[in-house]
């Protein structure tokens, strides 16, 4: 009996510790949305997805909460009852340069207008309503994973004989410059940021392609094939992909891809 009680106490303590750790690590999301149904749905969905979430219904309340609570992410509706969403985005961006701002809009043609305005009024991403929670969570995950944590983000990424200079948008393989198309470059960056780690197709789609990718992810396969071709074409003629510490991308069937770390000789 005593043993059972002790085991229970230990289990409860473990769960409590785990929940504390998770709460501390959780990214905080502020939802500024006056639509009751959407706001409630987002708040619940974000919490269910492991985020801390606050929801408010006006631009003014949003600005106040953002100041008090320093969220990592703001999901911002454009059509708010008091302040125009674009103005809210501009103010947030000016006050908190590192904040991730995702604009929620009801019309896809609105995005073109917003993007035209002063480099998108400082927004990092856009979602057209209605969007699925799965899409939102995948985008957030991708954004938060690639967010620059510190100034070292501007340092070139180095994996095996590969150097990816994101700031300069240059890529060198064994000191030879590789010419990549924009999506090939971004795909390589997404993998090189997490060398040796499996990156899911969903994450890659969210990081490299901004459009809603529901349906075919064929474009990822095509771009990956092109990237692999360029890598192998850029190798000095006597080397093999994966050989001599040169980079190799492994396909994880039904999951994603992994840029292999060089095997130590
Ligand atoms: Ca609205």
């Amino acid at each position: 009996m005593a043993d059972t009680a002790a085991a229970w106490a230990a289990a409860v303590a473990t769960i409590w510790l785990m929940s504390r750790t998770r709460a501390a690590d959780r990214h905080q999301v502020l939802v500024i949305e006056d639509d009751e149904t959407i706001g409630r749905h987002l708040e619940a969905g974000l919490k269910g997805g492991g985020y801390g979430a606050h929801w408010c219904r006006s631009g003014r309340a949003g600005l106040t909460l953002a100041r008090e609570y320093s969220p990592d992410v703001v999901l911002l509706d454009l059509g708010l009852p008091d302040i125009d969403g674009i103005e809210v985005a501009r103010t947030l961006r000016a006050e908190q340069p590192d904040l991730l701002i995702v604009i929620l809009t009801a019309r896809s043609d609105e995005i073109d207008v917003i993007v035209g305005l002063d480099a998108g009024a400082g927004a990092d991403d856009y979602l057209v309503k209605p969007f699925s929670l799965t899409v939102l969570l995948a985008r957030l995950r991708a954004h938060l994973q690639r967010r620059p944590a510190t100034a070292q983000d501007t340092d070139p990424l180095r994996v095996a004989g590969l150097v990816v200079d994101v700031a300069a948008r240059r890529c060198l393989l064994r000191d030879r410059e590789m010419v990549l198309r924009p999506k090939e470059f971004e795909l390589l960056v997404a993998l090189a940021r997490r060398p040796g780690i499996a990156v899911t197709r969903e994450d890659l789609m969210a990081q490299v392609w901004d459009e809603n990718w529901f349906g075919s992810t064929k474009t990822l396969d095509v771009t990956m094939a092109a990237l692999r071709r360029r890598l192998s074409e850029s190798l000095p003629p006597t080397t093999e992909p994966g050989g001599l510490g040169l980079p190799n991308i492994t396909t994880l069937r039904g999951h994603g891809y992994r840029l292999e770390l060089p095997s130590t000789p």
Side-chain angles (χ1 to χ4, degrees):
M1 264 320 247
D3 281 356
T4 314
W8 268 106
V12 168
T14 307
I15 291 165
W16 181 79
L17 262 175
M18 281 169 66
S19 64
R20 295 239 325 159
T21 313
R22 279 185 55 186
D25 292 347
R26 261 190 329 204
H27 285 110
Q28 301 294 323
V29 184
L30 172 62
V31 180
I32 310 177
E33 165 66 78
D34 63 321
D35 183 298
E36 197 80 14
T37 312
I38 298 175
R40 214 174 279 289
H41 177 69
L42 285 176
E43 188 184 32
L46 286 163
K47 285 181 177 167
Y51 292 90
H54 277 25
W55 165 42
C56 65
R57 296 169 183 75
S58 72
R60 224 175 300 280
L63 289 173
T64 308
L65 271 174
R67 285 167 196 141
E68 283 172 4
Y69 158 77
S70 294
D72 301 289
V73 183
V74 168
L75 300 183
L76 175 65
D77 175 38
L78 277 192
L80 293 168
D82 52 352
I83 313 174
D84 182 66
I86 297 285
E87 272 319 302
V88 177
R90 284 212 179 96
T91 309
L92 286 171
R93 173 58 71 233
E95 290 180 4
Q96 298 182 44
D98 294 334
L99 183 64
L100 173 63
I101 302 174
V102 179
I103 282 185
L104 311 177
T105 164
R107 291 171 20 227
S108 55
D109 57 345
E110 222 168 33
I111 292 181
D112 299 332
V113 178
I114 306 158
V115 172
L117 282 171
D118 189 15
D124 298 283
D125 203 355
Y126 309 88
L127 279 170
V128 180
K129 300 178 201 174
F131 51 85
S132 80
L133 201 55
T134 317
V135 169
L136 172 66
L137 294 176
R139 294 262 190 115
L140 288 184
R141 202 161 55 237
H143 275 297
L144 292 168
Q145 274 166 353
R146 73 173 155 177
R147 295 226 85 197
T150 59
Q152 73 185 11
D153 191 61
T154 54
D155 292 349
L157 306 165
R158 290 169 200 278
V159 184
L162 185 71
V163 178
V164 187
D165 189 337
V166 182
R169 276 193 92 83
R170 287 181 77 197
C171 176
L172 300 172
L173 182 55
R174 287 237 154 163
D175 303 325
R176 293 184 175 199
E177 179 122 26
M178 269 172 65
V179 180
L180 297 176
R181 291 187 159 170
K183 293 299 181 197
E184 295 161 7
F185 183 82
E186 285 165 34
L187 186 54
L188 185 58
V189 169
L191 293 168
R193 283 201 195 279
R194 285 179 281 167
I197 292 172
V199 187
T200 65
R201 295 177 64 87
E202 202 180 39
D203 277 356
L204 290 172
M205 290 303 295
Q207 288 186 59
V208 179
W209 285 270
D210 289 334
E211 69 262 43
N212 188 323
W213 67 88
F214 270 122
S216 170
T217 56
K218 188 87 191 136
T219 179
L220 171 58
D221 300 312
V222 171
T223 309
M224 182 59 79
L227 174 60
R228 281 179 159 146
R229 203 163 45 241
R230 286 187 203 267
L231 279 167
S232 66
E233 283 168 3
S234 307
L235 291 178
T238 53
T239 55
E240 293 289 322
L244 296 172
L246 288 166
N248 188 29
I249 300 168
T250 301
T251 303
L252 304 160
R253 208 159 284 285
H255 185 80
Y257 297 93
R258 183 178 60 228
L259 178 61
E260 300 295 353
L261 285 165
S263 48
T264 40

